[in-house]
Amino acid sequence: MSTYSAKAADIEKKWVLIDAKGLVVGRLASIVALRLRGKHKPTYTPHVDDGDNVIIVNAEKIVLTGRKREQKVYHHHTGYIGGIKERTARSIMEGRFPERIVEKAVERMLPRGPLGRKQLGNLRVYPGTEHPHEAQKPEKLDLAAMNRKNSRSA
């Protein structure tokens, strides 16, 4: 008996559509990261990108639990001396790109390195209900029905 190792030619990638309306960010991100890595498949191989392509719609309608909307702070550095900037989750949600909160949450749950960056490329996040991937025939994944804690009213 030898350990199975998936090859790039053996991999079948599916397209999965998730409606993020009313879902808790961290719970959504952990399930999406699991799908992007391919850990839900019995053929999971750590060094191969065998995860699915994930489409998230309604990213602007996600829910942060507790007081995270006002208290959670996202930092970035401009590259200049003393150039650390910070924004609250509320200012990002009310800004031009509210889907970035979901993208960051998933990105930080994936491994750092070339493989993690490739897997993050299989994620598409849209703030509204429209997406240009109807031709791929994505199957809907209902995260709210998986666990009652996955969804919360705003």
Side-chain angles (χ1 to χ4, degrees):
M1 190 76 192
S2 61
T3 304
Y4 175 78
S5 183
K7 318 272 186 302
D10 304 339
I11 296 167
E12 281 188 36
K13 286 183 169 282
K14 291 194 309 189
W15 285 78
V16 178
L17 177 67
I18 298 172
D19 186 3
K21 184 176 181 181
L23 294 180
V24 177
V25 175
R27 288 174 168 273
L28 167 68
S30 65
I31 293 169
V32 170
L34 187 95
R35 286 267 172 177
L36 288 173
R37 292 205 62 200
K39 285 191 149 193
H40 63 291
K41 297 180 180 179
T43 59
Y44 170 69
T45 308
H47 63 279
V48 178
D49 176 20
D50 59 351
D52 294 337
N53 292 293
V54 179
I55 305 163
I56 300 175
V57 293
N58 285 326
E60 63 189 3
K61 295 180 177 140
I62 51 141
V63 177
L64 291 156
T65 59
R67 294 174 61 193
K68 290 189 197 94
R69 192 169 172 89
E70 284 76 29
Q71 291 180 346
K72 185 162 180 60
V73 178
Y74 290 89
H75 295 89
H76 77 278
H77 201 283
T78 62
Y80 289 95
I81 297 168
I84 193 145
K85 303 282 185 183
E86 59 181 39
R87 292 180 71 190
T88 61
R90 181 179 182 189
S91 66
I92 294 172
M93 292 293 290
E94 293 170 355
R96 284 182 58 196
F97 304 104
E99 68 272 14
R100 287 190 180 160
I101 286 186
V102 176
E103 289 171 359
K104 271 292 170 200
V106 174
E107 178 186 339
R108 290 172 177 175
M109 289 187 185
L110 289 174
R112 282 86 181 139
L115 182 60
R117 287 189 293 273
K118 187 175 182 188
Q119 289 167 342
L120 189 64
N122 295 327
L123 174 68
R124 278 89 173 168
V125 184
Y126 299 99
T129 56
E130 300 296 315
H131 67 88
H133 305 288
E134 286 299 326
Q136 281 73 31
K137 297 183 181 76
E139 75 174 49
K140 273 187 91 92
L141 184 66
D142 188 13
L143 295 187
M146 291 171 102
N147 187 339
R148 64 182 182 82
K149 291 182 179 178
N150 287 353
S151 64
R152 190 137 329 157
S153 59

